[in-house]
Amino acid sequence: MSQLLVNASLNVVCANFVFTIIHSVQRRKIRLPGSLYTCQTLVSLTLFSAVIVDVPLTICFPSLKTLRLRRVEFSNDEIVPRILSGCPVLEDLTVVREHNGSVKNITIMVPSLLRLTVLDFKFAYKVPGNDVGFVIKAPSLKSLTVVSQVSWVCSLVNMPNLVKANVKLPPPGDSKKLLECLTSARHLSLCTIPSPFSYPIGVFYHLVSLVLCTCCSVWFCLILRQTPKIRVLRFQPIQKCCHHIQIQWEQSSSVPQCLISSLETVEWIDYQGRDSEKKVVMYLLENSGQLKKMAIKALPSTNLEKRYKILQELSSTQRSSKKCQFSFT
């Protein structure tokens, strides 16, 4: 395996082996040599902490399968789609943004792409006019991770092969459009506050496991009606979540189909014993006919007296499933 570390001198050699790293320690404008853009043997490329300018019109990476753009700024909106258009076999793409520079939107159109990770952190400055965002057309995707700290505008196409999706968006994120394109997922992790206009979001016919951040448990009642085959449901605070939204939940008039026929495991991490939390847990125990496991883990700071009270309240709740094993730690 060959690794190329490029600083100000920018001596780049197109390696015959699989891994090339281009790295600028200080953020500065870089003109990559033209030979790099037509390297026939490059299969993995990382660009880190740089401003890319003067990209040629002809780009051809016939062997490139992994591309990572970390803290990279581009001089205009056309550079990223131009680079990606020359990657016919690209399978794994990571885009990490901290500064948008002069770019409003990043367009990702890669038919071969299987894994996409987008991390969009707070910008030091914003482009005047439209909100920044992404246009994603990658119908072969199997894995999608979207984490953003800024209001997100996103355009997507359906992803029929999607297996796993992780979504973390701040309010008011464009969660409705995003979720409507994730209905093929089998595993979903969700941390976003729905707006009053977020419904409907489509039916997740293939979803078997769902992780809901405790900030967005307002999704709870709706999402269960949209997930007829879900087997595992977990509530937990997603790392660095800053929404701090009190759970609001009201019991629905009818029991969702998944509670009757499929839900087997429920876990709640950092349970605080709030009245709204207690109502959700009791509802699941009383209505989940196939439930095998209910595991509650209290917030570490919970004192012994409150732990005992929570245990009494929940353990005495009537259970619809005789197979259900209840645990509280």
Side-chain angles (χ1 to χ4, degrees), residues 150-164:
V150 296
S151 181
W152 223 60
V153 176
C154 184
S155 173
L156 301 97
V157 298
N158 287 328
M159 307 169 192
N161 300 312
L162 196 65
V163 175
K164 183 178 181 180

Side-chain angles (χ1 to χ4, degrees), residues 71 121 136 167 194:
R71 298 173 58 200
F121 299 121
I136 300 174
V167 177

Side-chain angles (χ1 to χ4, degrees), residues 8-64:
S9 61
L10 207 61
N11 276 324
V12 179
V13 177
C14 190
N16 289 325
F17 294 99
V18 297
F19 194 37
T20 297
I21 296 179
I22 299 178
H23 180 197
S24 176
V25 176
Q26 295 181 344
R27 188 178 298 277
R28 64 184 66 188
K29 291 185 178 180
I30 298 179
R31 287 174 174 81
L32 301 176
S35 60
L36 175 69
Y37 292 104
T38 56
C39 182
Q40 301 293 303
T41 56
L42 194 63
V43 299
S44 182
L45 174 63
T46 297
L47 303 179
F48 177 73
S49 190
V51 181
I52 305 300
V53 295
D54 294 342
V55 175
L57 293 177
T58 301
I59 297 175
C60 184
F61 291 114
S63 303
L64 192 69

Side-chain angles (χ1 to χ4, degrees), residues 317-329:
T317 301
Q318 183 178 357
R319 304 173 199 176
S320 176
S321 173
K322 296 180 179 179
K323 300 175 289 185
C324 179
Q325 298 295 316
F326 177 84
S327 67
F328 177 79
T329 56

Side-chain angles (χ1 to χ4, degrees), residues 169-301:
L169 296 177
D174 198 359
S175 54
K176 179 177 183 287
K177 290 182 180 179
L178 183 59
L179 289 172
E180 286 174 347
C181 295
L182 305 182
T183 53
S184 297
R186 290 178 54 83
H187 309 279
L188 175 63
S189 176
L190 187 61
C191 178
T192 182
I193 307 297
S195 73
F197 308 103
S198 293
Y199 312 113
I201 58 173
V203 180
F204 291 75
Y205 288 107
H206 308 286
L207 195 69
V208 294
S209 70
L210 172 65
V211 178
L212 277 178
C213 181
T214 48
C215 77
C216 61
S217 297
V218 286
W219 285 102
F220 172 74
C221 190
L222 170 68
I223 203 78
L224 287 189
R225 296 198 174 281
Q226 311 298 105
T227 57
K229 298 180 181 179
I230 190 172
R231 297 201 300 265
V232 179
L233 174 63
R234 178 181 293 112
F235 296 93
Q236 69 178 65
I238 302 297
Q239 185 180 16
K240 297 183 179 180
C241 174
C242 57
H243 298 158
H244 304 300
I245 302 297
Q246 174 72 35
I247 295 174
Q248 300 293 329
W249 177 76
E250 295 181 5
Q251 181 170 322
S252 59
S253 57
S254 60
V255 179
Q257 180 60 38
C258 66
L259 300 191
I260 298 172
S261 61
S262 64
L263 187 64
E264 298 179 350
T265 300
V266 175
E267 297 179 353
W268 197 305
I269 312 298
D270 285 357
Y271 183 86
Q272 299 183 50
R274 297 170 177 165
D275 185 60
S276 52
E277 293 176 325
K278 180 174 66 175
K279 287 179 179 179
V280 171
V281 172
M282 288 182 169
Y283 177 78
L284 290 171
L285 285 171
E286 292 170 351
N287 293 280
S288 301
Q290 305 301 318
L291 196 62
K292 296 179 181 179
K293 175 185 176 182
M294 169 71 76
I296 308 295
K297 295 183 179 181
L299 190 70
S301 59

